[in-house]
Amino acid sequence: MTKPRLWITRRLSDATLARAAHDYDVVINHADTPGTAAELIAASAEFDAIIPCHSEHFSADVVAQFADRLRIVANHSVGVDHCDLSALKARGIVVTNTPDVLSDATAELAMLLMLGAARHAVAGDRIVRTGAWDSWSPAFMVGKQVTGARLGIIGMGRVGRAFAAKARGFDMDVHYYNRTALPDDQALGATYHDSVESLLAVSDFLSLHCPATPDTTNLMDADRFALLPKGAVIVNTARGALVDEDALIAALDSGHVAAAGLDCFQVEPGGNPAFAKYDNVFMLPHIGSATRKTRDAMGFRALDNLDAFFAGNTPQDTL
Ligand code: 8YV
């Protein structure tokens, strides 16, 4: 039987690429450059399937120019804000993602950012590294304690719940906002808030775990930063679109927000150079799911979805 033709747009894990090469007639972009609109359009005529990352943008305009061959976009990501789902569905193209398998890795990174932001990781590392550490005082680099503090989580999906579980290890008092309250066996004692505003009022630490949609664009704007308790710390491992970065900078300047831990930015790659002068902003370059174990699991999940599709079944992660 002829193997389906598959384009893998980026350099996925070795195990993923080996499995893909065994099961599919695969073309891999070893150059690892983001797929352009023109490449996506050309690929729609040459391939039955694409495994893209969030770096490839399936806008309505791009999808409108697709040829008829492409049948499935099996994303190597849980977030699908880079895909115009209705445009893809209108073309009869199946779209899948990779939930579950990256929740722990992303929650670990949120914990790193929360702790690093709270405890002066940026400035502390720099003064030791540069040899500028020439004195010590009990008043030196005093941070904000995480243990026992109130944590607000916006979006109690898989990643939000994984983060809540880790935060319980720090005895945090977990609160959350979600469109619906979780059953008790999933909430595990976290307090539900039926509005973002109510959650913000109790969030000494705030972590964002909701998808980027038109409804959540600039979710954290100036009005909402003002609702946080003074000295709050904000963490974003979800999507840059959730945070009005000018409003965050204003809140940092006023001291209302004490620190931020950011893995996601409005502009990626690159981030926001305006944050560079803030030692109280601990930043990473969108590496929430970047562990070896999780990269393999994401790649395998995308391939599982393809295998199901080409076996004539509905992939488990069909959107
Ligand atoms: C991935 C992510 O690294 O899965 C997501 O939605 O944001 C990241 O964890 C990236 O999207 C891979 O394409």
Side-chain angles (χ1 to χ4, degrees), residues 61-118:
D61 178 46
V62 166
V63 174
Q65 298 174 66
F66 274 5
D68 288 333
R69 178 163 182 174
L70 183 67
R71 296 170 64 200
I72 176 166
V73 172
N75 284 294
H76 178 274
S77 65
V78 66
V80 288
D81 45 298
H82 57 288
C83 293
D84 189 314
L85 293 180
S86 28
L88 285 158
K89 277 182 196 167
R91 294 296 305 264
I93 297 168
V94 170
V95 183
T96 60
N97 68 344
T98 56
D100 298 314
V101 291
L102 45 64
S103 302
D104 279 322
T106 307
E108 281 179 13
L109 203 87
M111 186 57 74
L112 169 67
L113 289 168
M114 182 167 71
L115 292 168

Side-chain angles (χ1 to χ4, degrees), residues 27-168:
V27 173
I28 297 161
N29 175 20
H30 287 287
D32 202 22
T33 46
T36 63
E39 287 169 330
L40 292 177
I41 293 163
S44 70
E46 294 169 34
F47 295 92
D48 306 298
I50 301 179
I51 298 184
C53 290
H54 76 280
S55 47
E56 283 70 56
H57 298 280
F58 293 80
S59 65
D61 178 46
V62 166
V63 174
Q65 298 174 66
F66 274 5
D68 288 333
R69 178 163 182 174
L70 183 67
R71 296 170 64 200
I72 176 166
V73 172
N75 284 294
H76 178 274
S77 65
V78 66
V80 288
D81 45 298
H82 57 288
C83 293
D84 189 314
L85 293 180
S86 28
L88 285 158
K89 277 182 196 167
R91 294 296 305 264
I93 297 168
V94 170
V95 183
T96 60
N97 68 344
T98 56
D100 298 314
V101 291
L102 45 64
S103 302
D104 279 322
T106 307
E108 281 179 13
L109 203 87
M111 186 57 74
L112 169 67
L113 289 168
M114 182 167 71
L115 292 168
R119 299 299 295 274
H120 301 287
V122 174
D125 178 84
R126 193 185 56 250
I127 69 159
V128 180
R129 188 180 298 272
T130 61
W133 180 27
D134 56 5
S135 66
W136 185 89
S137 148
F140 179 52
M141 291 212 176
V142 174
K144 186 177 171 88
Q145 185 143 321
V146 164
T147 302
R150 297 176 300 179
L151 166 66
I153 294 177
I154 300 184
M156 201 66 151
R158 298 171 187 87
V159 182
R161 294 200 298 274
F163 186 58
K166 292 178 194 343
R168 283 186 200 101

